[in-house]
Amino acid sequence: MNTTDPAKRVVRARRIQFAYPTGSLDRHYVDGDLVMSHVIAYLSATFPEGEDFFVRSVRRFADEITDPELKSQVRGFIGQEVTHGREHRALNERLQQMGYPTRRADRTTRRRLEGYERLFSPLTCLAITAALEHFTAVFAETLLSDERAQTLLGTTEVRSMLLWHAIEESEHRAVAFDVYRAVGGSERRRIWAMRGIELSFFTAIVVNSTLSLLGDRATYNPIRLVRSLAAIPRSPFLTRSVQRRVAAYTEPGFHPDDSDNTALLEHWTAELFGEHGTLTDHLR
């Protein structure tokens, strides 16, 4: 159970597993949308290496944490992220079979993150992790709170997996941030890390999703492509509210828990993992 005080929230990994048998997903599995199917496939492809980078960045400072609540949350954070990476690898293999270049995107992500570790200090890598965790938490809570976002994913196993992932990202959204602050990370470094990551993050999505689309025969249907591109500005993940939440990170004094997600987590934890939860049969 989560407490109402985010600083004392229990963060624990769930033993869970999803399956994507052949033929279980439509080619364009995000509500038939061409572009969004490629965008989500690319983002999924970045998670395994991304989660490993997050774990390494936080683990380097684990011995410096003295607060017992935060030490416990770090253990839960690591357990959750390791599980996320494993489950996204399984999804990515299924997407690769469907024609999405997830293996290539995985390799590109690994090289980029290894480059960060060569170029930047461990503290800056931790600041990068905290910034990227903010992105994932904002998008996760958008999925959990906006019915339009949930509708895009239909009733597939992908929807189930992303809802589970969204809950856990929302649970541990402040852990890397709090570790960064606890080990003396400055506001200046934190804000500049976000400004750099914001540019590279969206650039990577556009470039890699475009490369993915070029390998899809449906992209060359001009009517379908134009309709899909025209729908992007109306995406629930690009609303002004979402943009404001992302931008709030660069304000001095920001903290992830400035936005209360307690009720959201309580609702979805009961919905998915309560007595009659829809994902209890996925727990091991």
Side-chain angles (χ1 to χ4, degrees):
M1 293 293 293
N2 290 304
T3 70
T4 55
D5 181 358
K8 296 182 179 180
R9 179 172 291 151
V10 176
V11 178
R12 63 178 180 82
R14 296 169 176 85
R15 293 174 57 83
I16 196 166
Q17 191 165 26
F18 299 86
Y20 312 95
T22 301
S24 64
L25 298 175
D26 293 333
R27 176 69 172 92
H28 300 109
Y29 57 97
V30 182
D31 198 32
D33 188 285
L34 172 65
V35 173
M36 284 305 298
S37 294
H38 283 269
V39 169
I40 298 299
Y42 168 68
L43 289 173
S44 179
T46 68
F47 275 116
E49 291 295 334
E51 308 287 24
D52 288 350
F53 173 80
F54 297 166
V55 168
R56 291 194 301 272
S57 297
V58 170
R59 188 174 270 155
R60 288 189 185 101
F61 294 93
D63 291 343
E64 298 181 34
I65 303 301
T66 57
D67 178 71
E69 297 285 354
L70 185 55
K71 285 180 78 72
S72 175
Q73 290 178 356
V74 165
R75 289 192 294 271
F77 169 88
I78 291 172
Q80 287 186 343
E81 297 291 53
V82 167
T83 307
H84 297 172
R86 184 196 71 211
E87 291 304 310
H88 274 279
R89 284 187 176 92
L91 172 58
N92 294 343
E93 279 304 300
R94 182 71 191 93
L95 292 171
Q96 179 74 34
Q97 294 166 12
M98 293 165 59
Y100 294 93
T102 53
R103 292 176 192 161
R104 182 182 68 196
D106 178 80
R107 292 192 299 269
T108 301
T109 301
R110 181 175 67 251
R111 287 195 294 268
R112 184 171 71 252
L113 295 176
E114 287 175 350
Y116 288 167
E117 291 176 309
R118 287 193 299 271
L119 287 170
F120 302 125
S121 69
L123 188 59
T124 296
C125 287
L126 182 59
I128 290 170
T129 293
L132 287 168
E133 282 286 294
H134 178 62
F135 276 115
T136 55
V138 170
F139 293 139
E141 289 172 15
T142 300
L143 175 61
L144 295 176
S145 60
D146 193 318
E147 290 185 5
R148 294 178 303 147
Q150 297 155 32
T151 299
L152 288 174
L153 299 175
T155 58
T156 67
E157 190 81 334
V158 175
R159 178 184 189 273
S160 298
M161 193 269 265
L162 291 180
L163 286 173
W164 153 76
H165 191 169
I167 284 180
E168 295 199 343
E169 288 296 333
S170 301
E171 287 175 343
H172 72 232
R173 66 182 184 178
V175 175
F177 187 102
D178 286 342
V179 171
Y180 174 79
R181 192 166 62 175
V183 299
S186 69
E187 284 283 270
R188 187 171 185 271
R189 188 193 304 252
R190 176 183 71 77
I191 291 169
W192 276 105
M194 169 55 93
R195 287 178 175 158
I197 286 300
E198 195 168 19
L199 176 61
S200 64
F201 179 72
F202 287 110
T203 300
I205 291 174
V206 171
V207 170
N208 287 281
S209 297
T210 299
L211 291 173
S212 182
L213 281 159
L214 290 174
D216 187 336
R217 217 185 301 180
T219 302
Y220 300 93
N221 179 330
I223 295 175
R224 185 167 185 189
L225 178 61
V226 169
R227 284 178 177 170
S228 186
L229 290 172
I232 290 175
R234 300 192 299 274
S235 169
F237 297 101
L238 295 176
T239 64
R240 289 189 178 183
S241 174
V242 170
Q243 293 176 41
R244 284 195 296 270
R245 282 201 61 193
V246 170
Y249 191 92
T250 57
E251 296 174 4
F254 167 85
H255 190 278
D257 290 331
D258 291 342
S259 172
D260 185 10
N261 66 0
T262 304
L264 192 66
L265 283 174
E266 288 176 348
H267 168 79
W268 280 103
T269 300
E271 180 79 13
L272 300 182
F273 301 109
E275 184 178 356
H276 303 292
T278 57
L279 294 185
T280 53
D281 61 334
H282 288 61
L283 295 172
R284 297 187 296 166

